[in-house]
Amino acid sequence: MTKILVLDDEKEIVNLLKSLLTNDGYEVITATTGEEALQLVDDTSFDLAILDVMLPGVSGFDVLQKIRERQFFPVLMLTAKSDDFDKINGLSLGADDYITKPFNPFEVLARVKTQLRRYQTYNQDTTSSLTDYDRNGLNVSLDSRKVSLYEEEIKLTPIEFDILWYLCQNEGRVVPSEELFEKVWKENYLDNNNTVMAHIARLREKLKEPPRHPKFIKTVWGVGYTIEK
């Protein structure tokens, strides 16, 4: 059974999400503090987490950061704030999606299903022949879903890998932000350019790209991103 962690210090929200997700067939384990959530992550294998941002003591961002040091399952952030700074911060730390309170419970359920479907697809065993991108010290393997830079493995989240692989597939072509969003997130592009930008920034950081003169992922201002041949 798919196992989901729900972290929120509001018991009403915890109970609502637990009831909603349990009724849809998921196993739900809850926490009301960041410390409790970190202990659960150490002791339990999860398939997805829903984390409240604003918590006393260890925040949702702190929990997200610790998760990303060791795990790559999807993480959705819950927040009462709607400003772009919090959203970009969460995405840059490795969050896969962001939901602002108050929320529609069925929208949360839909987003959970989308993230789980993507994650399970990425982690399927594949019998296809090995497909690699190998340029200038960067190796991206579709078969193993591993990335290395100068033979040092780089840990990417599923979304970060998919962004990089799509750019590699389209080597030499400028990929518009709208296209990149729709291909990776499998959703219609509205005003989500900050989402793409935040993930690109995080990806560049992991690839040790200089911000002003990136070697691999180039920005074509007003258009999108490209990996040059």
Side-chain angles (χ1 to χ4, degrees):
M1 184 180 292
T2 299
K3 194 171 295 184
I4 297 176
L5 169 65
V6 172
L7 166 63
D8 201 299
D9 61 347
E10 297 182 50
K11 290 184 179 180
E12 296 83 359
I13 290 179
V14 168
N15 292 337
L16 171 63
L17 291 175
K18 182 174 183 178
S19 176
L20 180 74
L21 295 167
T22 300
N23 288 340
D24 212 64
Y26 301 112
E27 180 180 353
V28 180
I29 299 176
T30 65
T32 55
T33 68
E35 292 86 352
E36 185 183 0
L38 288 177
Q39 187 62 53
L40 287 169
V41 170
D42 280 337
D43 297 340
T44 310
S45 178
F46 288 103
D47 298 286
L48 182 140
I50 301 174
L51 308 178
D52 184 27
V53 170
M54 302 299 293
L55 296 169
V58 176
S59 73
F61 287 146
D62 294 329
V63 176
L64 168 63
Q65 200 162 14
K66 289 295 183 182
I67 288 174
R68 283 294 175 252
E69 290 176 1
R70 61 193 103 166
Q71 302 286 342
F72 298 97
F73 55 77
V75 177
L76 285 71
M77 304 301 294
L78 287 175
T79 181
K81 296 183 178 180
S82 59
D83 57 41
D84 285 341
F85 176 79
D86 273 353
K87 184 173 183 180
I88 293 171
N89 187 34
L91 294 172
S92 68
L93 290 174
D96 296 279
D97 205 349
Y98 217 97
I99 301 168
T100 303
K101 300 176 184 177
F103 53 79
N104 182 324
F106 295 101
E107 179 185 356
V108 175
L109 184 59
R111 289 173 183 258
V112 164
K113 289 181 176 180
T114 296
Q115 292 299 330
L116 285 171
R117 184 166 58 248
R118 180 182 294 120
Y119 179 64
Q120 289 159 359
T121 298
Y122 289 161
N123 285 277
Q124 286 176 352
D125 291 331
T126 177
T127 57
S128 62
S129 59
L130 183 66
T131 304
D132 281 348
Y133 172 92
D134 195 354
R135 303 281 191 282
N136 302 316
L138 176 65
N139 180 269
V140 185
S141 171
L142 179 62
D143 185 61
S144 65
R145 296 197 174 275
K146 289 185 178 179
V147 176
S148 63
L149 182 62
Y150 307 122
E151 300 185 359
E152 179 183 349
E153 186 173 351
I154 306 296
K155 296 290 187 181
L156 300 184
T157 66
I159 281 184
E160 289 167 351
F161 181 91
D162 206 43
I163 289 171
L164 182 59
W165 181 249
Y166 192 76
L167 292 173
C168 291
Q169 280 183 306
N170 290 274
E171 179 188 17
R173 181 174 77 87
V174 179
V175 178
S177 300
E178 295 88 342
E179 177 183 336
L180 191 56
F181 182 87
E182 291 179 358
K183 292 295 184 181
V184 172
W185 277 265
K186 311 297 184 188
E187 298 175 8
N188 291 331
Y189 182 90
L190 297 173
D191 186 21
N192 294 292
N193 192 45
N194 284 341
T195 300
V196 175
M197 287 175 60
H199 280 83
I200 290 287
R202 180 66 172 167
L203 191 50
R204 282 173 170 161
E205 180 183 337
K206 290 186 176 182
L207 294 175
K208 302 174 183 177
E209 295 254 60
R212 293 185 177 275
H213 302 287
K215 180 178 180 181
F216 300 107
I217 303 174
K218 311 278 189 178
T219 299
V220 179
W221 294 108
V223 183
Y225 304 93
T226 185
I227 289 183
E228 297 178 348
K229 288 187 177 181

